Amino acid sequence: LDPNAPDRKRRAPARMQWLQGVAEMLDGGGLQPLLAQAVLGLDETALQRLAGRPVRELAAPDGAIWIEPRAPQGARTLILATHWEALRARVEQALATFHQGAPDEPGPDGSRLRRMALPAAPEALWQGLLDDLQRQGRVLRNGPWLHLPGHTAALAEAEAQLAQRLLPLLAAGAYDPPWVRDLARAQGEPEERVRQVLRKLLRRGEVAQVVKDLFYHRERVAELAALAVALAGKPEGLNAAAFRDATGLGRKRAIQILEFFDRTGLTRRLRDTHVLRTDSAYLGAGQAVS
């Protein structure tokens, strides 16, 4: 029934239901029984393999939709509309949970959200899901960050004026910007007021918080990300020593920035090096925090 049976849990209830769906399809029941068990849908290759016939000869049942791939040469995925809506709801719930736990952050990037919501989803299905949610306005993008429509931060007039003074100072600080206490002292403002404005700017995607009370201008984060990508492509790879030397920072600060990139989805730690995540929204020409 299934030439690609899993190595484990072959007698699990879900597996047995899947095989029943395959059997019903082969007995002339159409794709409906099979798709009912395929919560992540089935791509054209899997459909052809299971049915033993070209996809063009298979009639999509009522209530099923084709998900087009981003790449022209990619395979389409057939999924029931009810399953598709359930996947969209799971992504929205994962974002809501993230916002609740980290209300001051702008949101996760796509790769991190995928690990939170649908780690088993194929790449083509995941990208189609994100595209669909963004087209509907159910999920919004701010540079690499994704967030729900209600997760925004409005600045009052006085806050906007303070932000206009703070952002140039952060940009001028380059890779070693002033701490909150230093900004507050320079502006003659209470630390908590400066901190509150910077947290709102963080949610708007205009700054990034590397560690507590240390915020970087988004353009400097983009430069640091590009530098990390370049170092990761070299034979010695991306590590704290190489990043320290390239940025001119101390070892402690270099590690803090690399850990920030690990958290936000650009890299992942592998022993003493940091390797790039190929699905990170940081990657690609012109993609950075914005």
Side-chain angles (χ1 to χ4, degrees), residues 4-210:
N4 287 350
D7 294 331
R8 303 179 60 192
K9 299 183 179 180
R10 296 190 183 191
R11 295 182 180 273
R15 178 64 186 169
M16 301 307 291
Q17 291 174 3
W18 168 261
L19 292 177
Q20 182 63 34
V22 177
E24 291 181 24
M25 175 194 66
L26 296 176
D27 281 341
L31 295 177
Q32 179 70 33
L34 185 60
L35 291 176
Q37 305 300 326
V39 295
L40 296 177
L42 290 169
D43 64 29
E44 292 175 296
T45 303
L47 280 171
Q48 182 168 300
R49 183 180 67 245
L50 291 168
R53 289 185 293 162
V55 173
R56 64 177 178 274
E57 298 179 7
L58 302 175
D62 292 339
I65 55 177
W66 283 105
I67 306 303
E68 299 292 335
R70 281 185 179 178
Q73 68 275 18
R76 297 181 300 165
T77 298
L78 186 63
I79 187 171
L80 292 180
T82 52
H83 289 335
W84 186 246
E85 178 55 34
L87 295 181
R88 290 186 290 197
R90 284 181 62 178
V91 174
E92 289 175 311
Q93 182 56 52
L95 272 177
T97 301
F98 183 90
H99 293 331
Q100 183 178 10
D104 292 329
E105 294 191 26
D109 79 333
S111 60
R112 186 177 182 185
L113 180 58
R114 180 182 178 183
R115 295 192 296 274
M116 292 162 48
L118 295 167
E123 177 67 19
L125 180 74
W126 174 249
Q127 295 298 341
L129 187 59
L130 283 187
D131 290 344
D132 187 37
L133 286 167
Q134 291 176 74
R135 280 195 301 269
Q136 294 189 9
R138 295 168 64 169
V139 170
L140 303 179
R141 178 179 290 279
N142 181 6
W145 318 123
L146 297 165
H147 63 89
L148 295 175
H151 188 70
T152 57
L155 294 174
E157 183 177 353
E159 291 176 327
Q161 292 174 358
L162 178 56
Q164 290 176 359
R165 302 197 303 270
L166 294 175
L167 286 173
L169 294 176
L170 293 178
Y175 302 158
D176 188 20
W179 293 79
V180 166
R181 61 177 179 271
D182 300 321
L183 291 168
R185 188 181 306 114
Q187 296 299 313
E189 297 278 357
E191 283 188 28
E192 186 54 37
R193 176 173 170 77
V194 171
R195 191 176 292 114
Q196 183 179 11
V197 170
L198 288 172
R199 284 174 178 168
K200 287 189 175 184
L201 292 175
L202 173 64
R203 290 176 64 176
R204 293 162 64 96
E206 297 185 50
V207 301
Q209 183 173 222
V210 172

